Amino acid sequence: MGGMTSSVAAKLAFFPPSPPSYKVVTDKVTGLLLLAPFPHRENVEIHKLQTRRGTEIMAMYVRHPMANSMMIYSHGNAADLGQMYELFIELSIHLKVNLMGYKGVGRVDGELGKATSQLDQLVYEFIQLV
């Protein structure tokens, strides 16, 4: 009974938008990843981060020219980067921070327990490079 309950709870709790609110496209001139239908912004970078098991996680990095700190925003399961796009930009502007946004909770390769720590480690390693 417990297994069935947790399976139903997982289906209700981990529901990303379907269909996704964005598409990842590659700019033919620059080779940069972009989120369609959003206009390209010079201070926004889209990244595909890859876990050790090969799962790709989409992340958005917003640069602020006067930032002296970084905000890491791990958004929930009921949203995707397309829905968070404008919020991430507004937070960066108003708080004067660089912002890294990604889906930080949920399933990675079907595992719930290790997912959050794997994603957090992946994002931490990425921001050390920027």
Side-chain angles (χ1 to χ4, degrees):
M1 182 73 172
M4 188 170 108
T5 303
S6 65
S7 175
V8 171
K11 286 180 183 175
L12 295 174
F14 303 110
F15 58 97
S18 183
S21 65
Y22 67 94
K23 290 185 181 187
V24 179
V25 296
T26 303
D27 185 280
K28 293 177 183 176
V29 175
T30 64
L32 296 173
L33 293 179
L34 305 172
L35 291 186
F38 304 100
H40 172 65
R41 294 175 183 245
E42 290 296 320
N43 66 323
V44 175
E45 300 172 12
I46 304 302
H47 296 276
K48 285 184 182 179
L49 306 178
Q50 195 166 43
T51 66
R52 290 183 204 126
R53 293 186 175 187
T55 301
E56 289 183 337
I57 306 299
M58 297 307 302
M60 179 175 161
Y61 184 63
V62 184
R63 293 182 189 270
H64 189 284
M66 305 205 41
N68 59 14
S69 58
M70 165 80 73
M71 174 184 277
I72 300 172
Y73 193 116
S74 170
H75 73 79
N77 295 314
D80 65 20
L81 283 183
Q83 293 170 317
M84 303 302 291
Y85 188 87
E86 293 297 331
L87 175 64
F88 288 164
I89 292 169
E90 291 297 317
L91 284 171
S92 176
I93 291 168
H94 293 292
L95 300 176
K96 295 184 174 125
V97 297
N98 293 327
L99 186 143
M100 179 70 163
Y102 70 105
K103 179 180 177 179
V105 185
R107 294 180 182 268
V108 173
D109 298 328
E111 294 182 40
L112 289 173
K114 298 179 183 177
T116 300
S117 62
Q118 287 177 8
L119 292 173
D120 292 343
Q121 181 65 34
L122 186 64
V123 169
Y124 177 77
E125 291 169 3
F126 176 81
I127 63 172
Q128 296 300 308
L129 302 173
V130 294

